[in-house]
Amino acid sequence: MKQQIVQNVGELPTYGFGPRSGPWWGAMSFMALEGMGFAIAVGAYLYLYAVNPTWPIGASPPDLWPGSVETTLYLLSIIPNQYTNRVARRHNLRKVRVCLIIMSLIGIVLLVLRGFEFAHLNTRWDNSAYGSVVWLILSLHTTHLATDLGDTIVLTVLMFTSHAKPRRFSDVTDNVFYWNFVVLAWLPLYILLDWVPRL
Amino acid sequence: MDPHALQSADILRTFVVFLVVAAIVWIAVVVVLAAGLLRRPSPSQHALALDPPFENRAGQVVLGLGIATIIIVLALSVVSYAGQRSVFAKDPNALTLKITGHQWWWEVLYEADSPHLSFVTANEIRIPIEQPVRVQLESADVIHSFWVPSLTGKMDLITGQQNEIQFTAKTAGIYRGQCAEFCGLQHAHMAFSVIALPQDEFRRWREHENQSAGSPVDPLAKQGEDLFRARGCALCHTVRGTLAGGQLGPDLTHIGSRTTIAAGTLPLNSATLGAWLADPQHIKPGNLMPQMPLQSDELIAIHHYLEQLK
Amino acid sequence: MTLVTQHKELRDDVLDGLQLSTRLDRIWRTPSGLIGALTSVDHKVIGRRYILTAFVFLFLGGALALLMRVQLAGAEKHVLSADLYNQVFTMHGSTMMFLFAVPVMEAFAVYLVPLMVGTRNIAFPRLNAFSYWMFLFGGCFLWISFIFNVGPDVGWFAYVPLSNLQFTPSKRADVWAQMITFTEVAALAVAVEIVVTVFKLRAPGMTLDRIPIFVWSMLVTSFLVMFAMPSIMIASTSLILDRLVNTHFFDPAAGGHVLLWQHLFWFFGHPEVYIIFLPATGMASMILATFARRPVIGYPVIVLSLIATGFLSFGLWVHHMFVTGLPQLGAALFTANSMLIAVPSGLQIFCWLATLWDGRPVYRTPLLFVLGFIVVFVIGGLSGVMVASVPIDTQVHDTYFVVAHFHYVLIGGAVFPLIGAVYYWFPKISGRMLSERLGRWNFWLAFVGFNVAFFPMHFLGLMGMPRRVYTYIPDMGWDRLNLLSSCGAALFAVSFILLIANVVVSARRGALAGDNPWDASTLEWATTSPPPSYNFDRIPAVDHRDPLWSDTESIRVVAGLSAERREVLLTSLAEADPQVREASPEPSIWPLLTALATTVFFIGSIFTPWAVLWGTPPMAVALIGWFWPTGSREDEE
C-alpha cells in the first residue's frame, strides 16, 4: 500500500516525565494491583476481626512507639522525596545524587524500625489467626519498603556512574512516585495494625 | 427433580418459570439469527457505505432489547426471592436433628428434651411426613454438603460453623441423599437415605431406635459380641447397651435394621455385610476402617452378631 | 560512544522502501540460534510461544477430560482409581483455567494488540519475556509434579480444610498453591503490559473511540486481572503459610475461618470467568465485522458493555457460596446482581445480531465458529441466570447441571470464538491460510460433539448427579446419559485433532495469505503476513475506526523515528497525539535468569521457609542485571 507521510515526529523528545512516559504508567499499574493486594489483605483482617468475638486473639495490641515513629518518618520523608522530584526534573545531577543518598538512608532507617515493629507486635504468626494476619500485612508492606529501598540504592549508584544520562532523571521521578505510594499504603495499615486492636 | 416435600416442590416451580423464560429467549435469539442470515442482503458494495437512518433504528432496537432484558432480569429476581422465602421459611415447632459430617459418612443425632430420649445413629435418617424437620449441620473434619434432591436443596456442613436447613416431606418413601461438596478420596461414596414414614410409624421407630441393643440370645451372636470387643471393633464403634463405645466410626446399635452399608455404597444384606467385614478397603478404598485380621469363624460370628442388631 | 552521538541520527524520514526495511530489520530482529531464542523480547516471538504453549496445555487438559469421560461412561468403572480420578479432575480444572484459558487470551493479546494499535513492540518487552518463562515454568512444575504422583487432588478451588496440612499431608496442595503464584505473576505482568501498550503506544490519531474492539476487551480484561488476581495470590500465600509455618488463617480452632478462603477464592474466581470471556467477545466482534462486511453495529454500546461487565463481575462472587449458610437477604442481592450481568452480555449479543441482520455474511470458518458461539453461549448465559437464583442454585449447585452450565459458557463462550480466532489470525501469524474444507469439518464436529457431550449433563444434574465423583452406583440410572456424553466428548476431541492436522499441514502447504486475505479493516492487516520484526516500517496514523476500509489506496503514516536504534512512539492517553520517541529494550537474557531465580524461590519455599532468605539474593541480582543499562544504543541520547 502506498504510504502518505502526514506528520514528522523527529523533533519529539526521547524521554518524558510523569504521564508522558511509559514507565510512569507501568509504575501506576503496579501500584494499582499492589494497592488491590493491600486492600484484600485489609479485607481479610477485617473479616477475621468481624467473625471473632475477641480481638486481638490471645495477645495484647502492638506497642505503639515503633509504628508511630515510622509513620512520622514516612510523612516527613515526603519532603525530601518531593524535593528529589523537583531537582530531577531540573536535571540537577549534583542535587539528585545528594537527595538519593538521603532517601536511601531514610529507607534503611525505616527498615530497621520495621524490625522493631515486628518485635513489638506482641504476637507471633503461629499464635492465632490474629497473629497470622498481622504478620502477613506487615510483611507485605515490608516487601514493598525493601524493594523500593533496593531500587533507590541501585539508582543512587547508577547516578554516580557514566550511565547518569538525562533519561535517568525520568527514572528518578518514577522512583519518587513509587515512594509516595509506599508511604500512602502505610497510613491505613498503621491505623489498622496499631489502633484497631485498641477499639 | 422428583419433589416429595414442600421445599423441593417450591424449587421446582421456580425452576420451571426460569426454564420457560430461558427457552423463549433462546428460541427468539436463534430465530432472529437465522432470519438475519437468510435475509436477502442489500446490494451495497462498500463496507462503510452505511445507511444512517438504519443505523439509528438498529441502535434504538438494541437499546430497547437491553431495557427489556433489565425488566426480565428484575422480574426473575423477584420470582427467585419469593421462592427463596418459602424454601427457607422457618417453623419453630420442627423436629430437630443434628447431623455431623465425617469423611465419609453421616452421624445423626436425634435430640430430645431429656437426654435419655436422645440417641445417635448413622447414614440413615427416618423422618415423619407432614411435619417440618430442622436439620442442624456441622462437620467433624472437612466441608461436606447435605443434599436430598427429592426433599430440598443442599446446605453445607462447615468446619467451625453450624448451618441449618428445614424441610417437610409430603409423601412416605425412601429418598437418597448424597454429599455434594468435594470432601476427599471417597466423596463419591458418601451417600445416605432419608426414610419418610407416616407419623405414628415414625413414633414407633423412634421408640425402638432409642432402646439399647438387647443381649444376644444365641451362642453364636454372644461369641460375636465378645469378638466385637476383643478384636478391636469396639474401639471405633458404639453399640449402646454394651461395652462397645468407640466414637470414630458410625454407631451400630441397630445396624441390622438399616437399608444400606458404607454410607449408601451398597444395599445392606447378608452378603454385602460379609464382604464389607472381610475387606472394607476393597469396597470403599481409603475409608478409615482397616481390614481386620479375623479368622473366618470369627468373621461369621461378628457377622451374625451385627445382623441381629435390629 | 561520543562519536556516535555526535553524528546526525538516521531517521525513517530520509530512508524508504527496501533500504528502510533492511535497516529496521537489522535493529529489531531477534538474533538467530539458541541465544536468540532465549533472549528474544519480540512480542510476536513471545506471543507465538505463549499461544503454542497454552494450546499444548489445552490438549493435555483435554486428554484428562477424556480420561474422566471414560471412567464415567458407566457405573462403578475402575479405569481410574479414586485417588487418580481426584488428581485428574483437579489437574483438568487447574490446567484449563490457569494454564490454558487465561494465558491463551493474554497470548493472543501479546501478539495482536501491538499490531492492532500500530506500534513496534509491546510495552515492557522484557517483562513480557519474563512473563512467558514464568508461565512455562509454572505449568511444567504442575505437570511434572502430576507425573510424579504429586498432582494436586483437592479440586481447582482447593477448599480448606480439605487442602490444609491435616487432610492433605502430602505436597499436593502446595504444588497447586505455588502453581497459582507462578501463573498469576505471569498474568499480572501481561496485564500491565497491555494496559500501558493501549494507553501509550497507540498509533497517532487512534483516539479512544477508534480503538479496535478486541483491544478494548483486552484493556478491560487487563484491569480485571489487576484487580482480581491479587486476591488469589493472598489466598494461595495464606494457604501455603498455614501449611508451612503453622499460621492459622483458615483454622477455626485458633480464630481462623474456613469461609474466608471461599471469599478470597471467588472474589478472584468470578472475575476470572470474565477474564476468559471478555477477550473472546472481542474476538467475536472483530471476526463478525470482517465477515459481515460492515462495522459492528453499536460500537459504543459494546465498549460500554465490556466496561460494565468488568465492574459488575466484582459483585457476584457470593453466588458461588449460596449453600454455605449466608444471610438470606444478602444472598438475594447477589442474585439480582448476578442476573444483571446478563444485561451487558445481552447488549453485545443484540449488537452482533443486528450486525448480521444488516451485513452480507461471508461464510468462512471463523464466522461459523462465531455463529456457533452465539447459539451455544446463549444457552450457557441463560442457565447462568438460573443458577444465580438462590432456590434453584441450592438444588443444582455442585451438580452436573453446573458442569454443563460453565462448559457452555467457557467452551461455548470462549473456546468457540478462540478457534474462530485461530482460523482468522493464523494467516497473519504464519503467512498461510488454513484449509477451509478441514475448517468446516472442524467446526461441525466441534459443534455437534460439544452439544452431545455437554447437553445431557444438564439432565444428569437435575437427576441428582453431583460433581467431582469418581464413580456412581448402578441403581442411579445415570449410565446412559453419561455414555452419551462420553461419546460426544470423543467426537469433540476429534474436532481438535482436525484443528492440529489443519495447522500442521497448512503451516507448510497452505495457500499464501498476503497482507490482508479477509479484506479486514484494522491495522494488523496493514503489514505483511507474517509481520516483519519491526511490525510497520513507518508508524501508521489513524483517522478512522476502520482505517483499511476508509482508505483502500494508501495508508497515512508518521515519519521521524530512529532507523538506528529501537524506538517506539508514545502518544497521549485520550487523543493519541504523539508525545515522546521512547527507546525500546534490546534482547536480554536477564528475564530468563530472573524467571529461573524466581522459580527456585517459589519451589524452594514449599519445602522450607528459609528459601525466602536464600532465594532472594539471586532474584535481586537478576533484577539488577535486568535493569542495569548496558551502555548500548538504548541508553544513548
Side-chain angles (χ1 to χ4, degrees):
Chain A
M1 228 188 293
K2 207 164 67 63
Q3 291 188 347
Q4 177 194 345
I5 298 181
V6 294
Q7 191 181 358
N8 195 312
V9 295
E11 295 311 307
L12 291 177
T14 55
Y15 63 95
F17 289 98
R20 295 173 77 89
S21 90
W24 186 88
W25 283 99
M28 191 75 175
S29 307
F30 276 106
M31 286 178 210
L33 70 93
E34 286 158 17
M36 190 66 198
F38 282 120
I40 294 286
V42 169
Y45 181 104
L46 294 176
Y47 183 89
L48 291 170
Y49 174 70
V51 297
N52 276 290
T54 57
W55 196 264
I57 303 170
S60 41
D63 297 339
L64 274 179
W65 71 264
S68 306
V69 173
E70 265 182 65
T71 308
T72 317
L73 193 52
Y74 270 122
L75 288 174
L76 288 176
S77 74
I78 292 180
I79 300 166
N81 197 40
Q82 286 308 115
Y83 187 71
T84 314
N85 192 37
R86 200 184 320 165
V87 293
R89 278 172 183 265
R90 289 179 188 158
H91 295 76
N92 187 332
L93 183 59
R94 202 177 50 81
K95 285 188 178 167
V96 163
R97 284 173 175 170
V98 175
C99 283
L100 283 175
I101 292 174
I102 292 172
M103 289 310 294
S104 303
L105 291 175
I106 291 176
I108 292 169
V109 172
L110 278 166
L111 208 53
V112 173
L113 274 171
R114 188 49 63 80
F116 282 102
E117 170 134 37
F118 273 111
H120 286 266
L121 280 177
N122 296 327
T123 185
R124 275 166 53 100
W125 62 90
D126 54 0
N127 271 358
S128 67
Y130 164 74
S132 308
V133 74
V134 163
W135 276 76
L136 176 77
I137 290 177
L138 201 57
S139 307
L140 197 61
H141 191 266
T142 308
T143 315
H144 284 76
L145 172 60
T147 344
D148 193 73
L149 174 61
D151 190 30
T152 311
I153 292 174
V154 171
L155 207 53
T156 311
V157 174
L158 203 62
M159 294 313 271
F160 281 93
T161 67
S162 61
H163 297 299
K165 296 276 162 54
R167 70 162 60 251
R168 298 288 153 234
F169 290 115
S170 172
D171 296 347
V172 172
T173 58
D174 290 340
N175 185 262
V176 164
F177 187 43
Y178 195 81
W179 179 257
N180 285 340
F181 168 69
V182 174
V183 174
L184 202 66
W186 171 249
L187 300 177
L189 300 185
Y190 167 62
I191 293 170
L192 187 76
L193 297 181
D194 282 13
W195 293 98
V196 168
R198 292 185 156 76
L199 286 179
Chain B
M1 279 199 237
D2 174 29
H4 289 281
L6 292 177
Q7 286 73 10
S8 50
D10 280 339
I11 295 174
L12 185 61
R13 262 193 297 281
T14 314
F15 180 79
V16 168
V17 173
F18 274 67
L19 186 64
V20 169
V21 173
I24 292 171
V25 171
W26 184 75
I27 291 170
V29 167
V30 172
V31 166
V32 171
L33 178 64
L37 294 179
L38 294 175
R39 204 166 152 263
R40 288 282 125 228
S42 51
S44 142
Q45 288 304 305
H46 192 269
L48 290 178
L50 304 174
D51 171 28
F54 174 86
E55 300 295 303
N56 268 336
R57 251 193 346 269
Q60 283 161 1
V61 170
V62 165
L63 287 180
L65 288 172
I67 292 167
T69 313
I70 295 179
I71 294 169
I72 293 175
V73 155
L74 290 179
L76 287 177
S77 297
V78 172
V79 171
S80 164
Y81 189 57
Q84 186 184 350
R85 288 279 297 253
S86 66
V87 169
F88 288 98
K90 297 255 186 290
D91 188 325
N93 300 317
L95 167 80
T96 301
L97 303 180
K98 190 164 151 188
I99 294 187
T100 307
H102 296 261
Q103 280 179 324
W104 295 275
W105 60 280
W106 310 82
E107 177 186 335
V108 187
L109 169 68
Y110 283 77
E111 270 185 326
D113 294 335
S114 65
H116 67 272
L117 289 176
S118 304
F119 60 88
V120 171
T121 171
N123 297 332
E124 193 168 286
I125 303 161
R126 298 203 185 210
I127 56 164
I129 57 170
E130 303 287 357
Q131 190 194 339
V133 178
R134 169 171 55 227
V135 183
Q136 293 174 340
L137 301 163
E138 281 179 13
S139 171
D141 37 52
V142 304
I143 300 179
H144 304 278
S145 195
F146 177 88
W147 184 37
V148 191
S150 297
L151 298 180
T152 185
K154 51 190 78 64
M155 182 60 77
D156 287 352
L157 295 75
I158 294 174
T159 325
Q161 177 177 331
Q162 192 179 68
N163 282 339
E164 198 178 288
I165 193 168
Q166 279 202 11
F167 49 86
T168 310
K170 296 302 285 180
T171 37
I174 302 182
Y175 307 115
R176 188 173 185 273
Q178 182 159 2
C179 177
E181 182 59 81
F182 179 65
C183 56
L185 195 63
Q186 279 298 341
H187 166 58
H189 287 138
M190 183 170 166
F192 59 100
S193 21
V194 176
I195 303 176
L197 302 168
Q199 300 208 355
D200 48 340
E201 213 175 306
F202 172 74
R203 241 187 323 273
R204 270 194 310 253
W205 171 82
R206 186 170 180 159
E207 271 161 31
H208 171 76
E209 192 76 10
N210 190 37
Q211 287 160 15
S212 301
S215 301
V217 279
D218 61 298
L220 186 60
K222 266 200 169 47
Q223 190 199 347
E225 184 184 8
D226 293 340
L227 284 168
F228 190 82
R229 217 166 47 241
R231 288 289 178 267
C233 310
L235 290 174
C236 294
H237 295 283
T238 295
V239 178
R240 268 177 285 130
T242 73
L243 291 171
Q247 297 290 328
L248 284 176
D251 181 291
L252 300 179
T253 309
H254 298 286
I255 173 83
S257 64
R258 291 191 199 141
T259 53
T260 66
I261 189 171
T265 307
L266 295 170
L268 181 69
N269 56 42
S270 194
T272 54
L273 180 61
W276 175 259
L277 290 175
D279 190 358
Q281 293 300 324
H282 177 73
I283 292 170
K284 192 168 166 179
N287 87 82
L288 293 186
M289 177 159 163
Q291 188 182 2
M292 305 304 283
L294 296 173
Q295 306 296 326
S296 59
D297 56 329
E298 295 175 330
L299 210 59
I300 291 167
I302 293 177
H303 182 240
H304 180 70
Y305 168 62
L306 291 176
E307 269 196 311
Q308 57 89 49
L309 287 175
K310 299 260 184 195
Chain C
M1 288 299 138
T2 41
L3 245 175
V4 188
T5 40
Q6 272 165 8
H7 95 250
K8 177 107 172 68
E9 186 185 45
L10 204 53
R11 301 278 175 77
D12 65 3
D13 48 358
V14 295
L15 296 167
D16 229 337
L18 194 61
Q19 244 189 335
L20 175 60
S21 51
T22 318
R23 269 202 155 274
L24 284 173
D25 190 50
R26 202 182 308 150
I27 47 177
W28 283 94
R29 193 179 49 210
T30 291
S32 56
L34 182 65
I35 297 297
L38 298 181
T39 58
S40 176
V41 293
D42 183 343
H43 75 100
K44 298 179 293 301
V45 174
I46 293 167
R48 253 191 342 246
R49 272 180 205 165
Y50 230 126
I51 295 173
L52 209 63
T53 314
F55 267 94
V56 169
F57 284 123
L58 168 71
F59 298 133
L60 289 172
L64 297 180
L66 288 178
L67 279 178
M68 289 192 279
R69 282 321 317 170
V70 171
Q71 166 74 7
L72 293 177
E76 297 283 12
K77 285 178 87 87
H78 294 285
V79 181
L80 303 176
S81 67
D83 178 60
L84 189 55
Y85 185 90
N86 292 344
Q87 286 187 66
V88 164
F89 88 72
T90 303
M91 287 292 294
H92 170 74
S94 304
T95 301
M96 289 306 198
M97 295 302 267
F98 296 109
L99 302 179
F100 165 65
V102 175
V104 83
M105 296 301 173
E106 293 200 318
F108 267 89
V110 162
Y111 193 98
L112 291 172
V113 166
L115 289 165
M116 286 184 178
V117 302
T119 185
R120 293 203 162 134
N121 204 350
I122 199 165
F124 314 123
R126 289 183 180 177
L127 187 64
N128 195 28
F130 171 74
S131 163
Y132 172 73
W133 297 121
M134 288 304 286
F135 163 60
L136 179 69
F137 297 159
C140 291
F141 169 57
L142 179 71
W143 272 82
I144 291 170
S145 303
F146 176 57
I147 289 164
F148 285 100
N149 199 27
V150 207
D153 59 351
V154 288
W156 84 282
F157 43 90
Y159 276 5
V160 291
L162 185 62
S163 59
N164 73 17
L165 200 57
Q166 187 189 348
F167 298 103
T168 308
S170 63
K171 285 287 164 208
R172 287 176 169 183
D174 300 288
V175 168
W176 180 86
Q178 215 56 306
M179 176 278 295
I180 297 293
T181 317
F182 272 103
T183 52
E184 308 308 80
V185 166
L188 284 166
V190 173
V192 170
E193 296 154 18
I194 298 291
V195 166
V196 178
T197 305
V198 177
F199 277 4
K200 294 306 289 179
L201 291 176
R202 299 202 309 279
M206 188 181 279
T207 52
L208 292 180
D209 61 346
R210 289 178 191 151
I211 298 179
I213 292 175
F214 176 71
V215 176
W216 263 115
S217 74
M218 279 315 303
L219 181 66
V220 175
T221 301
S222 299
F223 276 109
L224 289 191
V225 169
M226 282 164 51
F227 292 120
M229 299 232 172
S231 184
I232 187 76
M233 289 192 71
I234 297 272
S236 65
T237 307
S238 313
L239 178 62
I240 288 210
L241 291 173
D242 265 14
R243 295 175 53 88
L244 192 72
V245 295
N246 207 17
T247 57
H248 301 286
F249 291 100
F250 309 117
D251 173 12
H257 208 253
V258 298
L259 286 187
L260 173 60
W261 171 265
Q262 297 190 17
H263 282 293
L264 290 174
F265 185 82
W266 291 116
F267 187 79
F268 142 82
H270 204 84
E272 165 93 343
V273 174
Y274 294 93
I275 288 169
I276 295 164
F277 172 62
L278 289 184
T281 67
M283 292 167 168
S285 291
M286 304 290 283
I287 294 172
L288 214 60
T290 299
F291 293 97
R293 308 303 309 146
R294 57 151 296 150
V296 170
I297 285 178
Y299 174 95
V301 177
I302 289 186
V303 171
L304 290 174
S305 295
L306 291 170
I307 296 171
T309 308
F311 276 105
L312 285 173
S313 72
F314 283 98
L316 320 179
W317 82 95
V318 170
H319 74 213
H320 296 266
M321 300 168 63
F322 281 159
V323 298
T324 57
L326 295 169
Q328 290 303 325
L329 189 63
L333 291 177
F334 277 94
T335 293
N337 204 5
S338 306
M339 290 191 195
L340 271 183
I341 207 160
V343 175
S345 302
L347 283 172
Q348 288 211 59
I349 291 171
F350 303 143
C351 288
W352 296 328
L353 290 179
T355 309
L356 284 165
W357 188 273
D358 184 57
R360 297 177 301 283
V362 181
Y363 294 99
R364 304 297 292 268
T365 309
L367 183 65
L368 292 183
F369 273 98
V370 170
L371 297 178
F373 149 68
I374 294 175
V375 171
V376 170
F377 168 70
V378 172
I379 296 179
L382 290 166
S383 62
V385 170
M386 292 183 187
V387 297
S389 156
V390 174
I392 298 176
D393 186 63
T394 62
Q395 195 63 281
V396 298
H397 179 78
D398 273 341
T399 69
Y400 265 82
F401 187 88
V402 171
V403 176
H405 155 67
F406 71 75
H407 282 94
Y408 267 82
V409 170
L410 290 175
I411 297 182
V415 175
F416 271 67
L418 178 75
I419 305 300
V422 169
Y423 277 88
Y424 183 59
W425 279 296
F426 183 83
K428 179 50 63 184
I429 297 174
S430 72
R432 288 175 187 275
M433 308 294 287
L434 284 170
S435 153
E436 190 63 24
R437 212 158 63 95
L438 273 177
R440 276 159 203 278
W441 274 97
N442 183 354
F443 169 73
W444 284 109
L445 271 176
F447 187 76
V448 173
F450 168 78
N451 283 296
V452 173
F454 290 99
F455 204 77
M457 291 186 187
H458 290 109
F459 298 110
L460 283 169
L462 295 176
M463 288 162 74
M465 181 166 168
R467 294 169 74 177
R468 300 158 188 152
V469 289
Y470 76 95
T471 190
Y472 48 92
I473 59 175
D475 309 354
M476 301 311 301
W478 298 337
D479 352 25
R480 285 178 177 211
L481 284 174
N482 269 306
L483 183 61
L484 180 64
S485 166
S486 298
C487 295
L491 214 56
F492 195 41
V494 173
S495 78
F496 281 94
I497 292 172
L498 283 188
L499 176 67
I500 299 176
N502 202 348
V503 166
V504 170
V505 172
S506 303
R508 293 194 206 151
R509 282 188 250 145
L512 287 176
D515 293 2
N516 190 359
W518 312 113
D519 187 21
S521 70
T522 40
L523 284 181
E524 78 270 30
W525 304 104
T527 183
T528 55
S529 309
S533 54
Y534 46 89
N535 290 356
F536 302 93
D537 56 4
R538 289 201 187 96
I539 300 297
V542 172
D543 61 352
H544 196 279
R545 198 180 288 154
D546 297 295
L548 304 196
W549 280 350
S550 76
D551 187 348
T552 49
E553 303 300 311
S554 67
I555 182 160
R556 295 151 47 88
V557 294
V558 294
L561 288 185
S562 175
E564 286 182 354
R565 59 198 183 89
R566 296 186 171 206
E567 204 168 69
V568 291
L569 183 62
L570 265 55
T571 55
S572 65
L573 178 60
E575 296 300 318
D577 290 327
Q579 283 180 326
V580 174
R581 298 180 291 125
E582 198 170 66
S584 182
E586 300 281 327
S588 162
I589 194 72
W590 288 107
L592 173 60
L593 297 180
T594 309
L596 284 171
T598 315
T599 301
V600 170
F601 177 99
F602 281 173
I603 296 181
S605 64
I606 70 175
F607 292 99
T608 161
W610 296 108
V612 174
L613 275 190
W614 52 251
T616 304
M619 269 166 68
V621 169
L623 278 170
I624 291 172
W626 175 338
F627 287 106
W628 195 264
T630 51
S632 67
R633 291 173 293 190
E634 62 177 286
D635 194 36
E636 285 149 18
E637 299 311 324

